[in-house]
């Protein structure tokens, strides 16, 4: 299918029907600030509209009473009406920027409120839900889609309120002057309503598809930028450019589909305004005198028709922004309406301070329709050092995620300290268990600040004490700027081992009863391995420690080894006993020894 065919394809194939009113209603319910802002600006807009409508009325009074009345020219009346018109113009000039400033302030407050809700909701989604959503799509929800709502509230909403008020008010005044000419004007303008409605519906669906294309494009860009090292290393540039090009072309086609409707609507206002003026002029000349219309009333009527043309044209122009905002708003609201798979109670049982026991009772788990763990049952006493081993894809990481409740089992129960993790509040669970991932993710700020993220309310003094308790005070002081060294995005200014040291200090500040390590010593540079091993020994003291072991040297030092194979817990026991049993663990251990010997 060619780009031209795609450009003019039937937009009825787009995603379902989308009611703009429903989206706005849902959006206002989510962000009450928008409702208050629009209400205030609507009040100002009505006042401004009344002021604009007063000018044609004053012109009619000047002509019919001040110039052509029975008493002839009345200078006092003309001067008074002119003064009144001046006052109206000044009031309109003052109130218009007030309305605009109010809308801008409200838009920024609404943007903050909506974006905060979206960010918080994304963090409530489970890892399984994140894996189903591209990160770039989630990024689009909290950036560009929210921005479309902000721009609409800043300018589009006040344009709608003011122009609708002018149009309605103008027709009311026109009807007072001549209901016959008003019917002519309305009838002429109404001839294009079916076409406008038809185009409007298709345009709205096209804009929704355009917002989807924006999210897809951000997802591709995010992947290409974050994976730039792999792309260069494996010579994947051509394929990456091809994917980016496809996403850009899809965005281009989506934007062009919306533009074809905008191009049609853009001329509708001017065209129908011109036709209406011609129709009103012909009827007024032919039958106006017989209906008792004076010169001032006819001239004022023409002013009112002209006054209506401009708002209609502006509404036609702002319709594009409105469609974009509604589509973007709908995307954000759809995200917010997505119920997180993991729900935590507001209140729940407390856990004792110190190391906690761990129990898995016939647990199954998986992602989407793919089952990963099958019937896992185990009991780990408090204070035990545990190593979890198995080949890639055996279920080790899923086991750790269940333990930290980053996902829930599809069957069975996980308990900490004898309590079902689903009964724990979110703060209670976070205080009880912490995970240190392989990459040791850090935020782009100072070392001490990164460590304080271990516990809400932690101070930099707490961070310094944690470093000293782990024997890392001298290491931190030796960094380029000491404790104030900035770590860079994702901690890239530090080595892998140094990032893990900061992550362990963060855990020390958190002081959990259970510590889960996704092999914190794997891929560590020799310079920091000794410091990291000592820090691990200290941070493990007085805690239940579960290590996802990629190197079996970790299992050698553990009190208990859990062996996973194809999603099942096939063996458990001490290292020496498992090696002697000649089972799965013994095979893995011998393979690991050969690999180490060959290096």
């Amino acid at each position: 299918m060619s780009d031209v065919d795609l450009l003019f394809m039937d937009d009825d194939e787009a995603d379902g029907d989308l009611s703009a009113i429903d989206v706005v209603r849902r959006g206002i319910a989510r962000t009450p600030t928008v409702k208050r802002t629009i209400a205030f600006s609507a009040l100002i807009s009505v006042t401004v509209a009344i002021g604009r409508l007063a000018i044609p009325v004053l012109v009619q009074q000047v002509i019919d009473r001040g110039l052509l009345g029975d008493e002839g020219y009345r200078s006092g009346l003309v001067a008074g009406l002119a003064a009144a018109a001046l006052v109206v113009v000044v009031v309109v000039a003052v109130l218009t920027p007030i309305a605009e400033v109010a809308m801008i302030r409200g838009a920024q407050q609404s943007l903050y409120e909506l974006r905060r809700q979206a960010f918080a909701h994304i963090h409530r989604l489970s890892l399984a839900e994140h894996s189903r959503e591209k990160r770039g799509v989630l990024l689009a929800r909290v950036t560009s889609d929210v921005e479309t709502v902000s721009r609409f509230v800043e300018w589009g909403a006040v344009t709608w309120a003011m122009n609708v008020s002018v149009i309605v008010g103008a027709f009311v005044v026109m009807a007072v002057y001549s209901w016959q000419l008003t019917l002519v004007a309305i009838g002429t303008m109404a001839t294009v309503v079916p076409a406008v409605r038809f185009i409007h519906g298709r345009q709205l669906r096209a804009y929704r598809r355009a917002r989807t294309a924006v999210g897809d494009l951000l997802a591709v860009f995010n992947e290409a930028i974050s994976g730039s090292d792999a792309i260069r290393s494996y010579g994947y540039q051509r394929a990456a450019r091809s994917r980016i090009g496809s996403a850009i072309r899809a965005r281009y086609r989506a934007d062009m589909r919306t533009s074809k409707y905008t191009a049609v609507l853009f001329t509708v206002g001017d065209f129908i305004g011109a036709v209406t003026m011609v129709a009103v002029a012909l009827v007024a000349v032919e039958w106006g005198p017989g209906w008792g219309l004076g010169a001032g009333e006819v001239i004022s009527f023409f002013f009112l028709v002209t006054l209506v043309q401009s708002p209609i044209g502006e509404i036609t122009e702002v319709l594009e922004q409105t469609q974009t905002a509604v589509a973007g708003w709908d995307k954000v609201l759809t995200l917010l309406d997505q119920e997180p798979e993991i729900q935590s109670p507001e209140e729940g049982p407390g856990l004792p301070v110190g190391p906690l026991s761990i129990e898995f009772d016939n647990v199954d788990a998986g992602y989407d329709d793919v089952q990963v763990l099958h019937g896992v049952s185990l009991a780990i006493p408090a204070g035990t050092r545990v190593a979890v081993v198995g080949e890639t894809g055996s279920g080790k990481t899923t086991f750790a995620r269940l333990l930290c409740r980053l996902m829930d089992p599809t069957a069975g129960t996980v308990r900490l300290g004898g309590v079902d993790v689903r009964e724990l509040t979110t703060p209670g669970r976070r205080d009880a268990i912490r995970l240190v991932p392989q990459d040791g993710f850090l935020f782009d700020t100072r070392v001490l600040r990164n460590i304080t993220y271990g516990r809400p309310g932690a101070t930099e003094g707490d961070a310094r004490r944690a470093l000293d308790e782990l024997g890392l005070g001298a290491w931190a002081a030796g960094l380029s700027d000491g404790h104030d060294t900035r770590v860079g995005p994702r901690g890239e200014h530090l080595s892998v081992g140094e990032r893990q040291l900061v992550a362990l200090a963060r855990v020390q500040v958190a002081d959990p009863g259970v510590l889960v390590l996704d092999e914190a010593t794997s891929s560590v540079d020799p310079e920091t391995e000794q410091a990291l091993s000592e820090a691990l020994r200290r941070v493990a003291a007085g805690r239940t420690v579960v290590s996802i072991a990629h190197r079996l040297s970790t299992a050698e030092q553990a009190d208990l080894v859990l062996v996973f194979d194809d999603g099942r817990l096939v063996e458990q026991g001490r290292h020496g006993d498992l090696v002697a049993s000649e089972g799965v663990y013994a095979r893995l251990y011998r393979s690991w020894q050969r690999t180490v010997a060959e290096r």
Side-chain angles (χ1 to χ4, degrees):
M1 183 179 292
S2 68
D3 286 355
V4 174
D5 293 331
L6 287 169
L7 175 58
F8 291 99
M9 69 182 289
D10 188 355
D11 285 304
D12 287 331
E13 298 174 6
D15 303 329
D17 291 332
L18 178 64
S19 169
I21 298 299
D22 289 341
V23 172
V24 172
R25 187 181 296 115
R26 289 165 53 212
I28 288 176
R30 283 280 187 180
T31 49
T33 305
V34 174
K35 182 177 181 179
R36 293 192 296 269
T37 302
I38 292 177
F40 173 75
S41 295
L43 177 62
I44 300 295
S45 298
V46 170
T47 305
V48 171
I50 292 173
R52 290 182 179 178
L53 294 170
I55 300 300
V57 175
L58 292 173
V59 169
Q60 180 263 321
Q61 291 294 311
V62 168
I63 294 173
D64 287 346
R65 296 180 57 198
L67 299 178
L68 304 178
D70 296 337
E71 301 178 17
Y73 174 66
R74 300 168 61 186
S75 59
L77 179 61
V78 171
L81 292 173
L86 178 61
V87 171
V88 169
V89 170
V90 171
V91 170
V92 169
V94 171
L95 290 181
T96 298
I98 291 177
E100 292 175 353
V101 170
M103 291 302 283
I104 292 173
R105 182 183 294 111
Q108 294 304 315
Q109 293 173 347
S110 302
L111 182 147
Y112 165 77
E113 188 176 336
L114 191 60
R115 185 168 285 155
R116 180 184 57 80
Q117 290 181 20
F119 267 118
H121 190 76
I122 287 173
H123 289 154
R124 285 194 293 269
L125 299 178
S126 70
L127 287 180
E129 291 166 313
H130 275 254
S131 67
R132 290 193 292 268
E133 289 283 350
K134 302 174 184 176
R135 290 183 179 178
V137 173
L138 295 176
L139 181 63
R141 296 295 88 85
V142 296
T143 54
S144 62
D145 288 334
V146 175
E147 288 289 352
T148 63
V149 181
S150 173
R151 287 194 294 268
F152 170 72
V153 176
E154 283 183 7
W155 181 69
V158 72
T159 300
W160 274 104
M162 194 172 297
N163 289 334
V164 168
S165 299
V166 169
I167 292 170
V168 173
F171 279 121
V172 170
V173 177
M174 288 160 63
V176 171
Y177 285 141
S178 171
W179 63 267
Q180 297 96 331
L181 287 181
T182 303
L183 288 178
V184 172
I186 293 175
T188 305
M189 294 179 181
T191 57
V192 298
V193 170
V196 170
R197 288 184 56 129
F198 174 75
I199 296 172
H200 169 81
R202 294 168 68 88
Q203 186 185 39
L204 185 56
R205 288 190 290 272
Y207 269 107
R208 196 179 197 282
R209 296 176 67 170
R211 299 315 307 165
T212 299
V214 170
D216 291 342
L217 181 60
L218 284 174
V220 173
F221 276 148
N222 179 68
E223 182 181 67
I225 293 172
S226 60
S228 59
D229 290 344
I231 290 173
R232 289 195 297 266
S233 298
Y234 291 95
Y236 190 64
Q237 290 94 329
R238 179 176 297 178
R241 285 195 295 269
S242 177
R243 289 194 63 202
I244 292 173
S246 297
I248 292 174
R249 285 192 296 274
R251 169 74 189 277
Y252 165 78
R253 290 192 294 264
D255 286 344
M256 290 302 293
R257 279 196 293 270
T258 62
S259 297
K260 71 179 181 180
Y261 299 118
T262 302
V264 174
L265 287 174
F266 188 78
T267 59
V268 168
D270 289 340
F271 172 77
I272 194 60
V275 172
T276 302
M277 285 291 289
V278 170
V280 168
L282 292 175
V283 173
V285 170
E286 184 68 25
W287 291 289
W291 294 338
L293 290 175
E297 291 172 321
V298 172
I299 293 173
S300 181
F301 200 97
F302 279 123
F303 267 113
L304 291 168
V305 172
T306 304
L307 189 62
V308 168
Q309 288 182 41
S310 178
I312 290 177
E314 288 184 14
I315 286 178
T316 302
E317 293 177 24
V318 81
L319 190 60
E320 176 184 0
Q321 185 191 68
T322 304
Q323 305 283 45
T324 304
V326 169
W329 211 350
D330 179 66
K331 291 286 187 180
V332 178
L333 294 174
T334 299
L335 170 66
L336 294 175
D337 289 340
Q338 181 180 345
E339 285 293 331
E341 293 178 354
I342 295 178
Q343 300 281 354
S344 298
E346 294 295 326
E347 297 182 0
L351 291 173
V353 177
L356 299 171
S357 62
I358 299 170
E359 298 173 61
F360 274 59
D361 184 6
N362 200 29
V363 170
D364 294 344
Y367 305 91
D368 295 327
D369 297 327
V370 179
Q371 199 72 3
V372 178
L373 292 185
H374 310 271
V376 176
S377 294
L378 56 86
I380 301 173
T384 305
R385 294 175 301 165
V386 181
V388 182
V389 303
E391 295 181 345
T392 300
S394 61
K396 303 187 301 295
T397 300
T398 301
F399 172 81
R401 289 174 174 177
L402 288 168
L403 187 55
C404 299
R405 212 194 170 200
L406 296 177
M407 59 183 293
D408 275 340
T410 55
T413 305
V414 179
R415 298 185 182 91
L416 284 179
V419 179
D420 189 335
V421 293
R422 288 171 290 198
E423 297 177 3
L424 297 172
T425 63
T426 298
R429 185 183 73 252
R430 289 174 180 165
D431 289 343
I433 185 168
R434 291 299 171 96
L435 168 68
V436 179
Q438 267 186 292
D439 60 359
F441 182 90
L442 301 182
F443 298 93
D444 186 12
T445 183
R446 298 177 298 117
V447 167
L448 283 183
R449 184 59 177 161
N450 263 286
I451 296 174
T452 61
Y453 289 145
R455 187 184 74 248
T459 65
E460 294 193 354
D462 296 326
R464 292 176 186 273
R465 280 191 295 274
L467 288 168
D468 292 337
E469 289 167 357
L470 298 183
L472 300 175
W475 165 78
L479 294 173
S480 58
D481 291 320
H483 297 87
D484 293 326
T485 300
R486 293 193 68 89
V487 303
R490 301 181 67 89
E492 64 182 21
H493 294 170
L494 302 182
S495 69
V496 174
E498 289 172 332
R499 291 201 294 270
Q500 290 288 22
L501 293 178
V502 176
L504 289 178
R506 185 188 292 166
V507 168
Q508 185 71 6
V509 167
D511 194 23
V514 177
L515 176 59
V516 181
L517 303 171
D518 191 358
E519 189 56 285
T521 58
S522 64
S523 304
V524 173
D525 45 286
E527 292 80 2
T528 54
E529 185 169 8
Q530 183 175 355
L532 184 58
S533 297
E534 176 62 18
L536 278 169
R537 186 187 66 80
R538 295 191 184 193
V539 80
R543 297 187 174 97
T544 304
V545 180
V546 178
S547 296
I548 309 302
H550 301 281
R551 302 191 305 179
L552 294 193
S553 57
T554 302
E556 291 177 329
Q557 304 168 14
D559 301 323
L560 175 66
V561 179
L562 304 177
V563 185
F564 282 84
D565 184 48
D566 195 24
R568 301 181 186 278
L569 178 61
V570 294
E571 295 175 355
Q572 55 181 308
R574 297 187 68 87
H575 164 74
D577 297 334
L578 292 176
V579 171
S581 69
E582 292 296 326
V584 174
Y585 180 78
R587 174 173 53 80
L588 290 172
Y589 186 68
R590 285 194 296 269
S591 175
W592 175 74
Q593 283 184 315
R594 287 194 299 269
T595 302
V596 172
E598 292 171 358
R599 289 178 179 174

